[in-house]
């Protein structure tokens, strides 16, 4: 068995199922960001000097410069952050989620806390708040081809540390989920790794999302640390997978990735998703839709997939739910779906449970 999986049991993942053992389906750690989404042309994106389709970290002066470019536009403001989107999706589908993150004592921080509460997500923010600084925010620039380009100002989220962790809640969760973006933050990475150790020692399944090509290019050591000796679930899109593996050949990519995780969830946009284990693989077709905005698609897939997995559905059934939920997200502007939308999707994308 590959060294990355030496610490994991063979076969499919066995999750804690007894209510006495687990009270959260998903415990996640990541950056708390408020998204401001703008519709821009490719020419505008170019004039702003923004790297298309990817996430770029920005500082205060750069943020002010970019806001000057879009000051005539009206943004859509929503709660965001990659892992934040994932826990919200799982909670809206009917799961129980906890999110460790950090916000400031400001208007955006208040907005973020209330957003999590309204969507049924438990969080450390009910107990710990930063007293100064600015809450993290993300300028999401959507071009007519539906691609999203993100400029992220981390604010106090860059100072996320292990004080945000609730060890006893990690121990009583089915899955511990790490946001790959934390690889860019020394304290955030250390917190994610401490949570990983707590989860591993408690027999909690581990999950990681690679998050973005920029993380692979500039923060790969942090991602390697989160992978450690292997995780149970690895989420990535096709571009991230190809860059990670240094190959455009999907067969090479699949063989490489399955050495890192018990189950790899590889999303491929209109080509659906690939679920890969050492023993099996499933190609799950995508729902045919007209994409308007791809922001949050991968996060939504992960939340829906993990909801179904924690309810005992098979990997291909879970991926089918993930595909349909992601298709609904890209068919609209914004990174979130309503409770009604997700209830409808769950009703037709999942079979009646045995």
């Amino acid at each position: 068995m590959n060294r990355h999986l030496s610490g994991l049991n063979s076969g499919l993942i066995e999750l804690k199922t007894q209510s006495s053992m687990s009270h959260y389906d998903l415990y996640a750690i990541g950056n708390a960001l408020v998204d401001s989404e703008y519709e821009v042309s490719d020419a505008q994106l170019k004039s702003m000097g923004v790297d298309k389709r990817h996430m770029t970290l920005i500082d205060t002066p750069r943020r002010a410069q970019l806001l000057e470019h879009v000051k005539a536009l009206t943004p859509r403001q929503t709660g965001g952050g990659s892992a934040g989107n994932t826990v919200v999706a799982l909670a809206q589908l009917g799961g129980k989620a906890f999110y460790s993150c950090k916000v400031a004592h400001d208007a955006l921080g208040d907005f973020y806390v209330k957003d999590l509460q309204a969507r049924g997500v438990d969080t450390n923010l009910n107990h710990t708040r930063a007293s100064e600084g600015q809450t993290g925010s993300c300028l999401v620039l959507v071009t007519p081809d539906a691609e999203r380009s993100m400029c992220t100002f981390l604010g106090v989220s860059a100072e996320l540390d292990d004080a945000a962790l609730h060890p006893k809640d990690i121990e009583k969760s089915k899955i511990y989920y790490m946001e790959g973006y934390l690889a860019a933050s020394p304290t955030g990475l250390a917190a994610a790794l401490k949570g990983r150790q707590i989860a591993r020692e408690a027999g909690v399944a581990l999950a990681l999302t690679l998050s973005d090509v920029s993380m692979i290019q500039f923060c790969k050591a942090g991602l390697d640390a989160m992978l450690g000796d292997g995780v149970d679930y690895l989420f990535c899109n096709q571009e991230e997978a190809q860059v990670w593996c240094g190959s455009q050949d999907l067969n090479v990519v699949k063989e490489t990735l399955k050495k890192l995780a018990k189950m790899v969830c590889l999303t491929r946009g209109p080509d659906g998703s690939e679920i890969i284990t050492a023993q099996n693989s499933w190609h799950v077709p995508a729902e045919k839709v007209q994409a308007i905005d791809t922001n949050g698609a991968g996060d939504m897939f992960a939340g829906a997939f993990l909801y179904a997995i924690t309810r005992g559905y098979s990997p291909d059934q879970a991926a089918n739910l993930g595909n349909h939920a992601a298709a609904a997200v890209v068919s609209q502007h914004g990174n979130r779906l309503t409770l009604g939308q997700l209830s409808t999707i769950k009703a037709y994308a999942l079979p009646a449970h045995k």
Side-chain angles (χ1 to χ4, degrees), residues 63-81:
R63 181 172 180 265
Q65 182 187 64
L66 292 171
L67 286 172
E68 184 68 21
H69 277 273
V70 296
K71 64 181 181 182
L73 304 176
T74 302
R76 282 175 292 272
Q77 192 175 75
T78 62

Side-chain angles (χ1 to χ4, degrees), residues 270-353:
D271 292 323
S273 56
E274 310 280 342
I275 310 301
I276 309 147
T277 69
Q279 296 84 15
N280 298 292
S281 65
W282 298 262
H283 170 72
V284 184
E287 184 181 6
K288 302 300 181 185
V289 295
Q290 178 62 49
I292 294 174
D293 174 8
T294 57
N295 182 31
D299 307 331
M300 178 61 69
F301 177 92
F305 180 89
L306 292 173
Y307 166 78
I309 284 291
T310 56
R311 291 298 179 279
Y313 287 96
S314 65
D316 55 325
Q317 290 170 337
N320 188 55
L321 179 65
N323 285 357
H324 279 84
V329 167
V330 304
S331 302
Q332 63 172 33
H333 284 289
N335 57 344
R336 301 274 176 84
L337 296 175
T338 66
L339 188 63
Q341 284 175 298
L342 281 168
S343 295
T344 300
I345 291 167
K346 181 169 69 170
Y348 69 74
L350 282 180
H353 212 305

Side-chain angles (χ1 to χ4, degrees), residues 221-295:
L223 292 174
D224 275 328
M226 284 192 265
L227 275 170
D229 59 357
V231 294
D232 294 276
Y233 302 97
L234 178 64
F235 294 88
C236 56
N237 65 30
Q238 183 168 318
E239 183 183 18
E240 292 158 2
Q242 290 170 329
V243 171
W244 181 278
C245 299
S247 175
Q248 298 295 304
D249 187 326
L250 273 182
N251 289 324
V252 172
V253 166
K254 292 177 187 179
E255 286 300 314
T256 303
L257 291 181
K258 74 181 184 181
K259 298 173 185 175
L260 306 179
K262 272 193 190 177
M263 189 173 294
V264 177
C265 299
L266 174 60
T267 54
R268 301 179 58 204
D271 292 323
S273 56
E274 310 280 342
I275 310 301
I276 309 147
T277 69
Q279 296 84 15
N280 298 292
S281 65
W282 298 262
H283 170 72
V284 184
E287 184 181 6
K288 302 300 181 185
V289 295
Q290 178 62 49
I292 294 174
D293 174 8
T294 57
N295 182 31

Side-chain angles (χ1 to χ4, degrees), residues 129-205:
R129 294 288 302 278
S131 58
E132 57 186 44
Q134 291 178 278
T135 294
S137 58
C138 182
L139 271 68
V140 182
L141 306 169
V142 181
T143 41
D145 58 0
E147 292 290 355
R148 91 290 183 268
S149 308
M150 299 179 294
C151 299
T152 300
F153 171 71
L154 288 175
V156 297
S157 195
E159 303 162 13
L160 175 69
D161 59 22
D162 60 17
L165 297 174
H166 284 205
K168 293 195 180 301
D169 289 316
I170 295 174
E171 292 169 355
K172 292 183 179 179
S173 298
K174 294 178 183 176
I175 300 172
Y176 174 73
Y177 183 91
M178 297 170 285
E179 180 185 299
Y181 286 122
L182 293 179
S185 164
T187 57
L189 175 61
L193 293 177
K194 183 172 180 178
R196 185 191 194 283
Q197 180 181 357
I198 294 167
R200 169 57 66 79
E201 291 174 355
V204 175

